[in-house]
């Protein structure tokens, strides 16, 4: 007998993602209220059913200018349809053909679901038109994730989209700002028609000048 898979947490603490943490020892931040408002607005919009996505994101002109965008929320982006052929191709590529991903599967989730790592691999395309471009950068490198959790399965046929909170943007070399930046972003991928995110990831990237 196949038991109910337990890939996801049973409880999702309200307001846990995305969030900003402030140490009690930190000096007063005059922009704190504004940044918090940006985060809350991002949470509300990212979980709505609206199809509209505003891509009018200004490009950054220098590494230093980008570091000043820490605390900004970008998105949500366009909806992306997760179809069975995409899931099948991912299964073939990764050799992960577990039955819960196959067409017609009768799963506890109400049908076949996408691989968690497939959803994670969609971050570049989901964030492509959400984040600002960097006119000064010659390349951008994926450094991995500090934290990442799958919170809700994505059913085949569902649509997903991303909202990004830039939690940190730092110069790689304070003596040579043109060298580039390291950016830490909290990316939330939501599923259309639901309030619980598919996943939340703390993503680290580097932008080189």
């Amino acid at each position: 007998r196949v038991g109910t898979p337990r890939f996801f947490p049973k409880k999702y603490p309200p307001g846990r993602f995305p969030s900003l943490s402030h140490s009690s020892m930190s000096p007063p931040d005059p922009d704190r209220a504004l940044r918090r408002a940006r985060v809350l607005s991002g949470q509300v919009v990212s979980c709505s059913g609206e199809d509209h996505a505003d891509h009018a994101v200004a490009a950054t002109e220098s590494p230093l200018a980008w570091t000043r965008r820490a605390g900004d929320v970008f998105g949500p982006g366009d909806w992306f349809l997760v179809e069975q052929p995409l899931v099948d191709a991912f299964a073939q590529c990764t050799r992960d053909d577990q039955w819960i991903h196959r067409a017609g599967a009768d799963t506890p989730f109400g049908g076949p679901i996408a691989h968690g790592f497939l959803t994670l691999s969609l971050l570049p395309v989901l964030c492509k038109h959400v984040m600002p471009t960097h006119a000064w950068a010659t390349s951008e490198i994926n450094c991995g994730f500090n934290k990442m959790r799958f919170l809700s399965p994505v059913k085949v046929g569902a649509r997903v989209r991303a909202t990004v909170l830039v939690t940190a943007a730092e110069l790689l070399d304070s003596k040579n700002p043109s060298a580039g930046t390291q950016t830490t972003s909290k990316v939330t991928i939501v599923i259309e028609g639901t309030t619980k995110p598919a996943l939340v990831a703390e993503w680290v990237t580097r932008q080189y000048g």
Side-chain angles (χ1 to χ4, degrees):
R1 184 176 64 88
V2 180
T4 301
R6 300 182 62 183
F7 304 126
F8 312 99
K10 290 184 177 180
K11 296 182 178 180
Y12 176 68
R16 182 177 178 185
F17 300 105
S19 63
L20 288 174
S21 61
H22 297 274
S23 171
S24 59
M25 300 301 292
S26 300
D29 183 358
D31 296 326
R32 179 176 180 179
L34 176 59
R35 291 180 179 179
R36 185 57 182 164
R38 288 170 176 168
V39 175
L40 292 174
S41 65
Q43 286 179 309
V44 172
V45 176
S46 67
C47 293
S48 71
E50 298 177 2
D51 288 322
H52 176 69
D54 185 2
H55 298 317
V57 182
T60 62
E61 298 181 356
S62 71
L64 190 59
W66 176 235
T67 63
R68 300 192 185 105
R69 304 299 296 272
D72 283 4
V73 175
F74 299 95
D78 287 328
W79 291 111
F80 182 94
L81 179 62
V82 179
E83 300 179 282
Q84 189 65 53
L86 178 65
V87 176
D88 294 342
F90 189 85
Q92 183 176 10
C93 179
T94 60
R95 302 298 191 269
D96 181 358
D97 61 348
Q98 187 180 174
W99 66 274
I100 59 175
H101 307 303
R102 299 172 188 166
D106 182 13
T107 73
F109 308 109
I113 61 172
H115 306 70
F117 285 127
L118 167 57
T119 306
L120 184 66
S121 73
L122 295 176
L123 259 62
V125 68
L126 294 177
C127 296
K128 184 175 182 180
H129 298 295
V130 172
M131 298 293 286
T133 58
H134 305 296
W136 50 270
T138 58
S139 61
E140 186 166 12
I141 304 299
N142 176 12
C143 298
F145 302 91
N146 290 334
K147 300 177 182 178
M148 193 280 296
R149 289 291 183 271
F150 298 116
L151 300 174
S152 185
V154 177
K155 296 180 183 179
V156 173
R159 298 200 302 173
V160 297
R161 67 179 177 183
T163 299
V164 182
L165 164 65
V166 178
T167 58
E170 304 169 318
L171 294 175
L172 294 176
D173 185 349
S174 60
K175 296 181 179 180
N176 180 23
S178 63
T181 58
Q182 176 166 301
T183 303
T184 304
S185 303
K186 182 168 287 186
V187 184
T188 303
I189 296 182
V190 300
I191 308 167
E192 185 178 26
T194 69
T195 57
K196 189 174 183 179
L199 69 83
V200 176
E202 190 174 279
W203 193 11
V204 181
T205 58
R206 285 191 173 187
Q207 299 75 34
Y208 292 98

